[in-house]
């Protein structure tokens, strides 16, 4: 680990809402939400009333009657997000972008040119504000995990530098929910055993964490609670998987709900795989129930796939298996699909027509090739006339489309 704090985590504040307030000055200082049926993002003024991203629009209006809903200017989100990251590029080539509005930067090699890490962070914040009109918070620390936590503590529109001698004292007083990888479900499980701060997590016996979270997650969180994070910046990271998810609210766990949703998700994932010519072997689904508990299932195939209907059908089988094992669960709140073990320039093994029951799901059969050919035809039509020009026969649920695909594409990692 470095002996000085040189890793920056820069995160644009309430990015989508801030962009809307930038584009329409009359919205500044007012509680606004991007979206409609579902809150895609909320300004800090709206968050003060409890409005959060992913919340149903009706509930958001109940919490904040004066809430103003605005549509999304997705092109401006991409343009301004790119411009903000470019400011980091002006200081160091060691930049790892992790989403449209946040990135890590290692400035260890450029302090002789631009000053201390704190001075560099201050300059970045001034430039983003002056050139783009947007607030940005930055955390500076020795590790990626601590730098990200520091940027969250710095919000809104602030800067926090964690020097090596103060790391543990800074970290251990913070709520465990600030840790990378601790979502609502994990936070609730930890609360059941009295763990609400990172310090309490650090002092929890490893056996208890393993029983509660599993060996991998328990070991990882225990290490991070003591700021043990050896990860380096990945400036040329290539995605190891492609995925998409859809929050459904509270829907019955029936085929007429999950089948069209899975097809919509498979379309989004498989089209990205085909665009990069990177089919994958392992298909994983995640089903979240009404109480926020979730179950994950996966299968590894003989040959990599990137055909939409193949992926949707395989995912459907996995979801049916989950529901069969959890018959007491009658409501689902989220579905997700991901494909991993991606291959490049994968050689397709052609197969003879042997009348196998799963021939249409095997990419090397005549039926499999026909499905892939249909997908490529759809891809070409969309490239020329737009994504709404053509789709698949089963229409996805309104809930699955309540979040515009343009917003989803900004949030989902590119291959």
């Amino acid at each position: 680990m470095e002996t000085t704090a040189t890793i920056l985590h820069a995160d644009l504040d309430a990015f989508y809402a801030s962009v809307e307030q930038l584009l329409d000055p009359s919205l500044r200082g007012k509680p606004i939400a991007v979206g409609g049926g579902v809150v895609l993002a909320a300004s800090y003024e709206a968050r003060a009333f409890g409005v959060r991203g992913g919340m149903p629009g009706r509930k958001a209006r109940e919490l904040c009657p004066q809430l103003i809903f605005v549509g999304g200017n997705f092109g401006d989100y991409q343009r301004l997000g790119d411009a903000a990251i470019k400011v980091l590029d002006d200081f160091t080539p060691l930049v790892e972008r992790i989403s449209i509005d946040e990135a890590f930067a290692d400035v260890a090699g450029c302090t002789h040119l631009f000053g201390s890490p704190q001075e560099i962070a201050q300059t970045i914040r001034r430039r983003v504000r002056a050139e783009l009109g947007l607030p940005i918070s930055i955390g500076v620390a020795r590790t990626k995990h601590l730098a990200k936590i520091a940027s969250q503590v710095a919000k809104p529109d602030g800067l926090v530098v964690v020097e090596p001698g103060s790391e543990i004292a800074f970290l251990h007083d913070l709520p465990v929910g600030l840790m990378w990888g601790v979502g609502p479900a994990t936070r609730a499980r930890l609360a059941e055993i009295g763990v609400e701060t990172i310090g309490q997590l650090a002092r929890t016996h490893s056996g208890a964490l393993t029983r509660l979270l599993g060996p991998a997650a328990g070991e990882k969180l225990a290490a991070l609670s003591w700021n043990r994070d050896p990860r380096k910046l990945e400036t040329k990271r290539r995605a190891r998987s492609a995925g998409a998810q859809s929050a459904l609210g509270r829907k019955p766990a029936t085929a007429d709900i999950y089948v069209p949703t899975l097809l919509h998700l498979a379309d989004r994932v498989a089209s990205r795989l085909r665009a990069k010519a990177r089919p994958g072997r392992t298909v994983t689904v995640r089903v979240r129930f009404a109480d926020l508990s979730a179950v994950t299932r996966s299968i590894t195939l003989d040959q990599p796939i990137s055909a939409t209907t193949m992926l949707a059908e395989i995912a459907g089988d996995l979801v049916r298996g989950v529901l069969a094992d959890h018959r007491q669960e009658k409501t689902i709140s989220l579905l997700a699909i991901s494909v991993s073990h991606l291959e490049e320039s994968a050689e397709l093994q052609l197969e003879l027509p042997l009348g196998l029951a799963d021939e249409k799901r095997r990419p090397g059969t005549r039926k499999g090739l026909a499905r892939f050919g249909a997908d490529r035809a759809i891809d070409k039509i969309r490239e020329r006339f737009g994504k709404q020009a053509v789709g698949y026969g089963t229409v996805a649920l309104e809930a699955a489309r309540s979040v515009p695909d343009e917003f989803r594409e900004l949030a989902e990692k590119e291959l």
Side-chain angles (χ1 to χ4, degrees), residues 246-248 260-261 264 268 396-405 408:
S246 179
L248 302 175
T261 303
H264 183 60
R268 285 160 47 197
L397 292 172
E398 181 179 350
R401 294 189 181 276
S402 62
V403 177
D405 284 346
R408 298 179 188 275

Side-chain angles (χ1 to χ4, degrees), residues 86-98:
K86 188 177 184 303
V87 173
L88 299 179
D89 292 335
D90 290 343
F91 290 88
T92 174
L94 301 178
V95 175
E96 178 185 346
R97 187 173 186 175
I98 58 176

Side-chain angles (χ1 to χ4, degrees), residues 190 193 195 201 203-214 218:
L190 290 171
I193 61 171
V195 173
L201 174 65
R203 293 186 290 271
T204 301
H205 190 277
S206 59
L209 291 178
T210 296
R211 288 190 297 272
L212 186 70
L213 306 174

Side-chain angles (χ1 to χ4, degrees), residues 155-287:
K155 289 180 175 294
D157 197 18
L159 168 63
V160 169
V161 180
V162 186
E163 297 293 352
S166 64
E167 292 169 340
I168 299 302
F170 170 82
L171 192 60
H172 281 188
D173 286 337
L174 296 173
V176 72
L178 288 180
M179 295 183 71
W180 206 347
V182 177
T186 301
R187 188 169 67 245
R189 291 194 190 110
L190 290 171
E192 291 174 358
I193 61 171
V195 173
E196 296 184 350
T197 69
I198 298 176
Q200 290 172 333
L201 174 65
R203 293 186 290 271
T204 301
H205 190 277
S206 59
L209 291 178
T210 296
R211 288 190 297 272
L212 186 70
L213 306 174
E219 182 179 343
K220 177 182 177 181
L221 291 181
L224 292 177
S225 71
W226 289 103
N227 197 34
R228 293 195 289 267
D229 182 12
R231 294 172 300 166
K232 302 295 184 182
L233 268 67
E234 299 181 48
T235 58
K236 296 182 179 179
R237 182 175 57 182
R238 195 89 189 264
R240 299 181 180 89
S241 65
Q245 66 180 33
S246 179
L248 302 175
R250 294 172 63 91
K251 296 291 183 181
T254 55
D256 62 322
I257 297 296
Y258 67 76
V259 169
T261 303
L262 291 174
L263 180 57
H264 183 60
L265 294 174
D267 186 15
R268 285 160 47 197
V269 173
S271 62
R272 292 161 59 201
L273 296 176
R274 294 192 298 273
K276 299 296 183 179
R278 298 191 70 196
R281 289 181 179 272
T282 300
V283 177
T284 302
V285 300
R286 182 167 176 254
V287 183

Side-chain angles (χ1 to χ4, degrees), residues 5-203:
T6 61
I7 295 178
L8 279 59
H9 180 262
D11 192 357
L12 290 156
D13 297 323
F15 178 54
Y16 302 108
S18 294
V19 171
E20 297 300 331
Q21 291 174 325
L22 174 68
L23 298 175
D24 184 355
S26 69
L27 297 175
R28 294 177 185 173
K30 298 178 181 179
I32 71 166
V34 180
V38 174
V39 175
L40 306 181
S43 67
Y44 280 104
E45 296 85 355
R47 294 181 188 185
F49 290 87
V51 178
R52 296 289 185 270
M55 179 179 290
R58 180 180 301 176
K59 182 178 180 181
R61 289 186 178 91
E62 291 174 355
L63 292 173
C64 180
Q66 64 269 45
L67 186 65
I68 302 171
F69 273 92
V70 296
N73 290 281
F74 303 102
D76 289 306
Y77 299 159
Q78 187 69 64
R79 174 179 61 82
L80 290 166
D82 291 346
I85 303 303
K86 188 177 184 303
V87 173
L88 299 179
D89 292 335
D90 290 343
F91 290 88
T92 174
L94 301 178
V95 175
E96 178 185 346
R97 187 173 186 175
I98 58 176
S99 73
I100 188 175
D101 59 349
E102 61 179 320
F104 290 104
D106 191 338
V107 298
C110 60
T111 53
H112 63 293
L113 294 174
F114 304 113
S116 68
Q118 179 173 345
E119 291 171 327
I120 293 172
Q122 289 170 338
T123 304
I124 290 171
R125 294 187 64 242
R126 284 196 299 268
R127 282 191 52 185
V128 171
R129 172 67 79 174
E131 297 172 16
L132 305 177
L134 293 172
I136 188 169
S137 294
I138 298 180
V140 185
R142 288 195 298 167
T143 65
K144 292 172 70 174
H145 182 252
L146 190 55
K148 183 172 174 65
I149 286 180
S151 72
Q152 295 179 74
V153 174
K155 289 180 175 294
D157 197 18
L159 168 63
V160 169
V161 180
V162 186
E163 297 293 352
S166 64
E167 292 169 340
I168 299 302
F170 170 82
L171 192 60
H172 281 188
D173 286 337
L174 296 173
V176 72
L178 288 180
M179 295 183 71
W180 206 347
V182 177
T186 301
R187 188 169 67 245
R189 291 194 190 110
L190 290 171
E192 291 174 358
I193 61 171
V195 173
E196 296 184 350
T197 69
I198 298 176
Q200 290 172 333
L201 174 65
R203 293 186 290 271

